[in-house]
């Protein structure tokens, strides 16, 4: 089948205006991280599950490969198509179908932007606790496909803990509905979990039932500075133990990250720029006066004990946003190679030292800058500046091989996609990889859906 006749058939299914190709998309960036013009036969925008089913079925019959795109903020090139692929974009499937406050469940289409869901729920004093810097662009389907983490994992868990039900369309067009709103449902294999974090290799997620929580009514936020990683760990334990379960974020930045994103022409530095470590600590609760009192008392005790060097407390939402901008808006460090590893908290400091020493010895023109969701054992690293792909590979080799003695993982929350495939076997045994391939073979034997991703 020629591309022209494929485009004509796809247009018949979803409408001419929902199939884009040629000039109208020639300047469209591939994704958030990849500004190169998108390469694809066509971008197809189905408006409902039935259309997803029909278009996958058509592609299946024709042996046509498909790449799924939601917000395009994923970090592993998983949603970056080639010129041979058709792109399925979920952006038109953006309805919040139902919010059930009795069951504490929201049912949404996969193309709902995370921030839209957060804001709609907040108007009803409800919370879907997934939160990440890409909230304004990423979509729930992409979040589920990547098992996203973000800044509230220490309190609420990753997406895997937040999804109750899922509707998925398989490559042959089968609509698989596991839309069960119950938290407990031990009826055989929990099939939805197989699709969560599968990065679009097993099916297209079209609807999701997510867990809701009461929206906290108080929020305390501070940035503190400490002089060692031991002090970081000690503070984490102390805040966890003494904040009565209200600790919701604990984000750590090494000095070189903080210095890189603050200063002239960059973010205003809330604290002086010469401390070894900076931590953003946030607690959310339901009783403003007692929460505030407890948070401020703990902070002042810790200051008196000498456990922290300096601190700034946000006294308004504007000050809170200023603190968070330092952590969430890191353009000043780009372009650089981004890594997302996890390892036991107790080994993180040593890993950071090994990295520093190895970059100095093996790739002296490349500098690792560290920050991350430390309470989850999740470290992000920017290594740069960007030079070329050979340089990038040399940096990969240092970051990933240095994890081995610590039993760390090459992906904490971003996934594998295309660009970490070579490293998957560092963390997964041959038996595990063989089982993954068997599952893929059963669901997509012709390897048409997000081909070449993950395995
Ligand atoms: C500023 C910034 C901050 C970030 N912070 C975090 C963070 O704290 N934690 C974190 O985990 N990630 C973070 N990310 C990465 C990214 O936002 C997440 O991976 C997010 O979940 C991707 O969602 P998306 O809608 O953009 O998906 P996309 O990038 O469009 O897709 C990601 C992958 O999922 C597949 N996919 C997308 N939609 C579907 C679907 N409906 N069905 C099946 N497969 C699908 C794609 O094919 C691709 O393989 C950040 C990114 C940015 C730009």
């Amino acid at each position: 089948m020629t591309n022209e006749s494929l485009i004509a058939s796809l247009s018949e299914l979803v409408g001419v205006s929902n199939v884009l190709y040629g000039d109208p998309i020639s300047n469209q960036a591939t994704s958030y991280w990849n500004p190169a013009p998108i390469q694809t036969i066509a971008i197809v925008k189905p408006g409902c599950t039935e259309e997803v089913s029909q278009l996958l079925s058509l592609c299946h019959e024709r042996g046509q490969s498909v790449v799924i795109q939601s917000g395009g903020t994923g970090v592993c090139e998983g949603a970056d198509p080639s010129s041979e692929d058709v792109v399925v974009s979920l952006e038109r499937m953006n309805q919040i179908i139902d919010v059930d406050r009795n069951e504490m469940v929201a049912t949404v289409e996969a193309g709902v932007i995370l921030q839209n869901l957060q804001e709609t729920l907040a108007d009803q004093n409800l919370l879907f606790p997934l939160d990440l810097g890409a909230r304004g662009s990423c979509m729930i389907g992409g979040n589920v496909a990547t098992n996203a983490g973000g800044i509230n994992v220490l309190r609420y868990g990753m997406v895997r803990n937040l999804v109750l039900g899922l509707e998925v369309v398989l490559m042959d067009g089968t609509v698989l509905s596991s839309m069960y709103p119950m938290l407990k449902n031990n009826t055989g294999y929990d099939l939805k979990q197989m699709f969560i974090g599968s990065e679009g290799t097993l099916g297209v997620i079209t609807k999701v039932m997510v867990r809701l929580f009461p929206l906290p009514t108080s929020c305390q936020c501070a940035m503190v500075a400490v002089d060692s990683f031991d002090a970081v760990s000690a503070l984490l334990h102390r805040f966890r133990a003494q904040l009565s379960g209200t600790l919701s974020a604990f984000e750590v930045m090494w000095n070189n990250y903080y210095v890189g994103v603050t200063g002239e022409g960059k973010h205003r530095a809330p604290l002086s720029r010469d401390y070894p470590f900076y931590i953003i600590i946030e607690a959310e609760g339901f009783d403003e006066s007692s929460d505030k009192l407890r948070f401020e008392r703990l902070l002042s005790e810790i200051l008196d004990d000498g456990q922290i060097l300096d601190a700034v407390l946000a006294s308004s939402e504007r000050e809170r946003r200023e603190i968070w901008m330092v952590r969430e808006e890191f353009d000043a460090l780009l372009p650089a190679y981004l890594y997302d590893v996890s390892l036991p908290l107790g080994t993180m400091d040593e890993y950071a030292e090994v990295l520093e020493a190895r970059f100095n010895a093996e790739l002296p023109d490349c500098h690792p800058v560290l920050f991350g969701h430390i309470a989850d054992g999740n470290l992000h690293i920017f290594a740069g500046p960007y030079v070329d792909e050979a340089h990038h590979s040399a940096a990969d080799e240092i970051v990933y091989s240095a994890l081995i003695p610590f039993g760390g993982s090459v992906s904490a929350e971003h996934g594998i996609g295309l660009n970490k495939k070579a490293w998957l076997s560092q963390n997964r045994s041959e038996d595990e990889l063989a089982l993954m391939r068997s599952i893929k073979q059963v669901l997509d034997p012709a390897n048409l859906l997000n081909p070449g991703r993950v395995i």
Side-chain angles (χ1 to χ4, degrees):
M1 189 184 210
T2 62
N3 286 352
E4 287 72 25
S5 61
L6 176 66
I7 288 168
S9 304
L10 292 168
S11 303
E12 233 170 82
L13 288 180
V14 301
V16 177
S17 59
N18 296 315
V19 181
L20 306 181
Y21 58 97
D23 276 352
I25 56 168
S26 58
N27 289 323
Q28 182 172 319
T30 303
S31 65
Y32 176 90
W33 300 96
N34 182 356
I38 193 163
Q39 305 292 311
T40 178
I41 295 172
I43 300 176
V44 188
K45 301 182 179 182
C48 63
T49 301
E50 189 51 34
E51 286 183 2
V52 175
S53 165
Q54 288 172 356
L55 85 85
L56 286 190
S57 175
L58 175 84
C59 291
H60 186 242
E61 276 167 28
R62 311 286 156 92
Q64 173 59 53
S65 59
V66 167
V67 168
I68 313 160
Q69 261 198 0
S70 286
T73 67
V75 185
C76 305
E77 299 171 9
D80 295 11
S82 79
S83 56
E84 314 280 290
D85 302 318
V86 163
V87 169
V88 175
S89 161
L90 275 296
E91 71 173 49
R92 286 179 63 226
M93 295 180 60
N94 58 8
Q95 297 303 304
I96 297 173
I97 299 168
D98 183 49
V99 175
D100 186 333
R101 43 183 326 118
N102 291 324
E103 301 293 335
M104 294 298 269
V105 176
T107 305
V108 303
E109 288 188 310
V112 170
I113 289 178
L114 174 61
Q115 190 169 348
N116 293 350
L117 179 60
Q118 290 171 333
E119 289 175 358
T120 301
L121 293 170
D123 287 344
Q124 304 176 48
N125 297 322
L126 293 169
L127 172 77
F128 174 54
L130 176 68
D131 198 17
L132 50 147
R135 64 181 74 78
S137 317
C138 65
M139 298 175 185
I140 300 297
N143 299 148
V144 174
T146 55
N147 183 30
I151 57 177
N152 290 335
V153 171
L154 84 163
R155 180 152 169 192
Y156 297 100
M158 295 180 76
V159 162
R160 205 174 278 296
N161 301 318
L162 301 174
V163 173
L164 296 168
L166 216 56
E167 179 188 83
V168 180
V169 184
L170 307 183
M171 189 60 216
D172 66 2
T174 304
V175 178
L176 186 75
S177 176
S178 294
M179 293 289 276
Y180 307 111
M182 302 86 75
L183 188 55
K184 290 185 163 179
N185 184 7
N186 277 350
T187 47
Y189 303 143
D190 190 351
L191 295 176
K192 69 173 183 294
Q193 291 296 347
M194 190 169 71
F195 294 94
I196 300 173
S198 68
E199 300 181 56
T201 56
L202 302 180
V204 180
I205 296 158
T206 45
K207 287 196 191 95
V208 188
M209 281 178 154
V210 296
R211 291 174 70 183
L212 304 181
F213 296 80
L215 184 72
T217 52
S218 81
C219 177
Q220 322 302 321
C221 177
M223 180 186 276
V224 305
V226 298
D227 63 359
S228 69
F229 195 81
D230 282 348
V232 170
S233 306
L235 269 194
L236 173 60
H237 293 305
R238 195 156 170 190
F239 272 90
R240 264 193 166 133
Q242 296 186 5
L243 280 184
S244 306
T246 60
L247 183 65
S248 53
F250 192 90
E251 296 289 313
V252 177
M253 295 161 278
W254 270 244
N255 174 273
N256 56 9
Y257 174 93
Y258 190 78
V259 168
V261 298
T262 57
E264 213 184 314
K266 304 178 199 167
H267 301 306
R268 191 184 70 78
L271 294 173
S272 150
R273 298 168 74 224
D274 42 19
Y275 297 120
F277 294 91
Y278 299 83
I279 315 172
I280 298 177
I281 299 168
E282 196 157 270
E284 294 179 321
F286 296 90
D287 183 336
E288 175 67 24
S289 56
S290 67
D291 292 340
K292 191 165 186 290
L293 197 67
R294 188 171 45 233
F295 192 83
E296 290 181 3
R297 197 172 48 214
L298 182 55
L299 212 52
S300 105
E301 279 170 19
I302 289 170
L303 204 52
D304 289 348
D305 293 352
Q307 224 178 344
I308 53 181
L309 302 171
D310 203 354
V312 58
L313 193 63
S315 59
S316 64
E317 180 56 24
R318 189 182 58 77
E319 286 181 16
R320 176 180 171 264
R321 280 306 330 147
E322 259 183 30
I323 287 178
W324 274 105
M325 251 155 54
V326 174
R327 166 63 181 82
E328 292 191 331
E329 294 175 22
F330 37 63
D331 288 5
L333 297 169
L334 301 177
Y337 319 126
L338 170 59
Y339 301 96
D340 157 54
V341 303
S342 62
L343 65 170
L345 188 65
T347 64
M348 208 170 267
D349 194 27
E350 198 185 336
Y351 173 72
E353 281 168 15
V354 170
L355 268 193
E356 186 72 39
R358 283 196 56 187
F359 271 102
N360 278 339
E362 298 168 40
L363 211 58
D365 59 344
C366 194
H367 306 284
V369 168
L370 279 65
F371 63 112
H373 315 293
I374 300 306
D376 318 328
N378 183 177
L379 194 59
H380 291 319
I381 303 151
F382 280 123
Y386 178 91
V387 175
D388 58 25
E389 275 316 295
H391 192 252
H392 191 170
S393 301
D396 287 359
E397 167 64 28
I398 294 174
V399 170
Y400 295 137
S401 65
L403 285 168
I404 295 172
F406 303 105
S409 162
V410 300
S411 176
E413 58 178 10
H414 292 164
I416 297 297
L418 285 173
N419 64 17
K420 285 195 212 160
K421 260 171 64 171
W423 299 96
L424 183 60
S425 60
Q426 183 169 308
N427 286 119
R428 296 296 193 181
S429 68
E430 255 321 305
D431 289 339
E432 286 177 301
L433 292 172
L435 185 55
M436 288 188 206
R437 282 190 208 102
S438 306
I439 293 170
K440 173 73 174 168
Q441 174 70 22
V442 168
L443 296 180
D444 178 22
N447 193 24
L448 296 173
L449 193 59
N450 274 10
R453 273 77 179 159
V454 187
I455 44 168

